[in-house]
mmCIF file of all heavy atoms in Angstrom:
data_model
loop_
_atom_site.group_PDB
_atom_site.id
_atom_site.type_symbol
_atom_site.label_atom_id
_atom_site.label_comp_id
_atom_site.label_asym_id
_atom_site.label_seq_id
_atom_site.Cartn_x
_atom_site.Cartn_y
_atom_site.Cartn_z
ATOM 1 N N GLU A 81 -29.146 10.173 44.427
ATOM 2 C CA GLU A 81 -28.977 11.583 44.731
ATOM 3 C C GLU A 81 -30.339 12.269 44.725
ATOM 4 O O GLU A 81 -31.193 11.955 43.892
ATOM 5 C CB GLU A 81 -28.041 12.236 43.711
ATOM 6 C CG GLU A 81 -26.641 11.663 43.764
ATOM 7 C CD GLU A 81 -25.676 12.297 42.776
ATOM 8 O OE1 GLU A 81 -26.089 13.231 42.045
ATOM 9 O OE2 GLU A 81 -24.519 11.862 42.735
ATOM 10 N N HIS A 82 -30.526 13.189 45.669
ATOM 11 C CA HIS A 82 -31.791 13.904 45.832
ATOM 12 C C HIS A 82 -31.493 15.369 46.126
ATOM 13 O O HIS A 82 -30.552 15.680 46.845
ATOM 14 C CB HIS A 82 -32.593 13.339 47.012
ATOM 15 C CG HIS A 82 -32.663 11.845 47.041
ATOM 16 N ND1 HIS A 82 -33.618 11.140 46.359
ATOM 17 C CD2 HIS A 82 -31.879 10.925 47.657
ATOM 18 C CE1 HIS A 82 -33.427 9.848 46.570
ATOM 19 N NE2 HIS A 82 -32.384 9.687 47.349
ATOM 20 N N VAL A 83 -32.325 16.259 45.631
ATOM 21 C CA VAL A 83 -32.197 17.676 45.961
ATOM 22 C C VAL A 83 -32.590 17.862 47.421
ATOM 23 O O VAL A 83 -33.615 17.350 47.878
ATOM 24 C CB VAL A 83 -33.080 18.549 45.044
ATOM 25 C CG1 VAL A 83 -33.063 19.997 45.507
ATOM 26 C CG2 VAL A 83 -32.611 18.436 43.606
ATOM 27 N N ASP A 84 -31.748 18.571 48.165
ATOM 28 C CA ASP A 84 -31.969 18.851 49.584
ATOM 29 C C ASP A 84 -31.963 20.363 49.768
ATOM 30 O O ASP A 84 -30.942 21.007 49.572
ATOM 31 C CB ASP A 84 -30.853 18.200 50.411
ATOM 32 C CG ASP A 84 -30.917 18.537 51.888
ATOM 33 O OD1 ASP A 84 -31.862 19.217 52.329
ATOM 34 O OD2 ASP A 84 -29.990 18.121 52.614
ATOM 35 N N GLU A 85 -33.104 20.925 50.111
ATOM 36 C CA GLU A 85 -33.205 22.376 50.297
ATOM 37 C C GLU A 85 -33.376 22.751 51.766
ATOM 38 O O GLU A 85 -33.850 23.825 52.098
ATOM 39 C CB GLU A 85 -34.340 22.930 49.439
ATOM 40 C CG GLU A 85 -34.034 22.782 47.961
ATOM 41 C CD GLU A 85 -35.104 23.336 47.045
ATOM 42 O OE1 GLU A 85 -36.291 23.373 47.457
ATOM 43 O OE2 GLU A 85 -34.755 23.717 45.920
ATOM 44 N N SER A 86 -32.928 21.856 52.654
ATOM 45 C CA SER A 86 -33.007 22.143 54.084
ATOM 46 C C SER A 86 -31.920 23.135 54.489
ATOM 47 O O SER A 86 -30.962 23.376 53.749
ATOM 48 C CB SER A 86 -32.861 20.848 54.894
ATOM 49 O OG SER A 86 -31.577 20.289 54.705
ATOM 50 N N HIS A 87 -32.070 23.718 55.639
ATOM 51 C CA HIS A 87 -31.084 24.650 56.212
ATOM 52 C C HIS A 87 -30.841 25.875 55.337
ATOM 53 O O HIS A 87 -29.754 26.455 55.352
ATOM 54 C CB HIS A 87 -29.768 23.941 56.528
ATOM 55 C CG HIS A 87 -29.940 22.745 57.409
ATOM 56 N ND1 HIS A 87 -30.315 22.848 58.729
ATOM 57 C CD2 HIS A 87 -29.823 21.412 57.152
ATOM 58 C CE1 HIS A 87 -30.406 21.626 59.252
ATOM 59 N NE2 HIS A 87 -30.129 20.749 58.328
ATOM 60 N N GLY A 88 -31.836 26.258 54.536
ATOM 61 C CA GLY A 88 -31.739 27.468 53.740
ATOM 62 C C GLY A 88 -30.750 27.419 52.593
ATOM 63 O O GLY A 88 -30.289 28.455 52.122
ATOM 64 N N MET A 89 -30.405 26.217 52.133
ATOM 65 C CA MET A 89 -29.483 26.095 51.001
ATOM 66 C C MET A 89 -29.916 24.952 50.102
ATOM 67 O O MET A 89 -30.698 24.103 50.498
ATOM 68 C CB MET A 89 -28.056 25.896 51.483
ATOM 69 C CG MET A 89 -27.824 24.656 52.313
ATOM 70 S SD MET A 89 -26.156 24.574 52.961
ATOM 71 C CE MET A 89 -26.481 24.924 54.675
ATOM 72 N N ARG A 90 -29.401 24.942 48.905
ATOM 73 C CA ARG A 90 -29.696 23.873 47.938
ATOM 74 C C ARG A 90 -28.452 22.991 47.816
ATOM 75 O O ARG A 90 -27.390 23.467 47.407
ATOM 76 C CB ARG A 90 -30.066 24.466 46.589
ATOM 77 C CG ARG A 90 -30.467 23.426 45.568
ATOM 78 C CD ARG A 90 -30.828 24.111 44.246
ATOM 79 N NE ARG A 90 -31.067 23.158 43.208
ATOM 80 C CZ ARG A 90 -32.246 22.611 42.932
ATOM 81 N NH1 ARG A 90 -33.298 22.959 43.625
ATOM 82 N NH2 ARG A 90 -32.377 21.739 41.956
ATOM 83 N N ARG A 91 -28.611 21.717 48.182
ATOM 84 C CA ARG A 91 -27.510 20.755 48.101
ATOM 85 C C ARG A 91 -28.038 19.474 47.472
ATOM 86 O O ARG A 91 -29.240 19.299 47.327
ATOM 87 C CB ARG A 91 -26.961 20.426 49.493
ATOM 88 C CG ARG A 91 -26.490 21.619 50.267
ATOM 89 C CD ARG A 91 -26.054 21.248 51.658
ATOM 90 N NE ARG A 91 -27.223 20.862 52.461
ATOM 91 C CZ ARG A 91 -27.158 20.424 53.715
ATOM 92 N NH1 ARG A 91 -26.009 20.296 54.319
ATOM 93 N NH2 ARG A 91 -28.248 20.097 54.370
ATOM 94 N N ILE A 92 -27.124 18.585 47.141
ATOM 95 C CA ILE A 92 -27.497 17.271 46.624
ATOM 96 C C ILE A 92 -27.186 16.243 47.704
ATOM 97 O O ILE A 92 -26.018 16.021 48.054
ATOM 98 C CB ILE A 92 -26.745 16.931 45.319
ATOM 99 C CG1 ILE A 92 -26.999 18.000 44.253
ATOM 100 C CG2 ILE A 92 -27.140 15.532 44.830
ATOM 101 C CD1 ILE A 92 -28.450 18.161 43.846
ATOM 102 N N GLU A 93 -28.248 15.653 48.242
ATOM 103 C CA GLU A 93 -28.118 14.612 49.263
ATOM 104 C C GLU A 93 -27.735 13.300 48.601
ATOM 105 O O GLU A 93 -28.193 12.984 47.503
ATOM 106 C CB GLU A 93 -29.443 14.443 50.006
ATOM 107 C CG GLU A 93 -29.421 13.326 51.021
ATOM 108 C CD GLU A 93 -30.776 12.991 51.592
ATOM 109 O OE1 GLU A 93 -31.800 13.326 50.938
ATOM 110 O OE2 GLU A 93 -30.827 12.378 52.667
ATOM 111 N N HIS A 105 -23.603 14.447 51.435
ATOM 112 C CA HIS A 105 -23.919 15.281 50.269
ATOM 113 C C HIS A 105 -22.771 15.230 49.271
ATOM 114 O O HIS A 105 -21.642 14.889 49.625
ATOM 115 C CB HIS A 105 -24.163 16.727 50.701
ATOM 116 C CG HIS A 105 -25.381 16.883 51.535
ATOM 117 N ND1 HIS A 105 -25.382 16.706 52.892
ATOM 118 C CD2 HIS A 105 -26.669 17.189 51.195
ATOM 119 C CE1 HIS A 105 -26.608 16.890 53.362
ATOM 120 N NE2 HIS A 105 -27.408 17.186 52.351
ATOM 121 N N VAL A 106 -23.065 15.585 48.026
ATOM 122 C CA VAL A 106 -22.035 15.675 46.995
ATOM 123 C C VAL A 106 -21.986 17.123 46.512
ATOM 124 O O VAL A 106 -23.020 17.771 46.344
ATOM 125 C CB VAL A 106 -22.280 14.686 45.829
ATOM 126 C CG1 VAL A 106 -23.598 14.934 45.133
ATOM 127 C CG2 VAL A 106 -21.123 14.708 44.849
ATOM 128 N N PHE A 107 -20.753 17.622 46.347
ATOM 129 C CA PHE A 107 -20.517 19.005 45.937
ATOM 130 C C PHE A 107 -19.595 19.043 44.723
ATOM 131 O O PHE A 107 -18.752 18.152 44.555
ATOM 132 C CB PHE A 107 -19.868 19.792 47.083
ATOM 133 C CG PHE A 107 -20.682 19.804 48.342
ATOM 134 C CD1 PHE A 107 -20.445 18.889 49.356
ATOM 135 C CD2 PHE A 107 -21.707 20.723 48.506
ATOM 136 C CE1 PHE A 107 -21.205 18.894 50.516
ATOM 137 C CE2 PHE A 107 -22.474 20.738 49.672
ATOM 138 C CZ PHE A 107 -22.218 19.817 50.677
ATOM 139 N N PRO A 108 -19.699 20.078 43.889
ATOM 140 C CA PRO A 108 -18.868 20.173 42.674
ATOM 141 C C PRO A 108 -17.515 20.851 42.918
ATOM 142 O O PRO A 108 -16.993 21.522 42.041
ATOM 143 C CB PRO A 108 -19.743 21.006 41.741
ATOM 144 C CG PRO A 108 -20.467 21.927 42.657
ATOM 145 C CD PRO A 108 -20.743 21.110 43.900
ATOM 146 N N ARG A 118 -16.924 16.126 45.206
ATOM 147 C CA ARG A 118 -16.557 15.821 46.594
ATOM 148 C C ARG A 118 -17.773 15.209 47.273
ATOM 149 O O ARG A 118 -18.733 15.897 47.594
ATOM 150 C CB ARG A 118 -16.127 17.084 47.340
ATOM 151 C CG ARG A 118 -15.879 16.837 48.833
ATOM 152 C CD ARG A 118 -15.318 18.064 49.529
ATOM 153 N NE ARG A 118 -16.120 19.248 49.356
ATOM 154 C CZ ARG A 118 -17.017 19.713 50.245
ATOM 155 N NH1 ARG A 118 -17.229 19.074 51.379
ATOM 156 N NH2 ARG A 118 -17.692 20.822 49.991
#
Side-chain angles (χ1 to χ4, degrees):
E81 296 181 2
H82 314 274
V83 173
D84 175 4
E85 294 181 333
S86 64
H87 306 291
M89 61 185 108
R90 184 180 173 90
R91 303 176 290 177
I92 303 299
E93 176 190 21
H105 294 86
V106 60
F107 302 95
R118 174 174 55 98

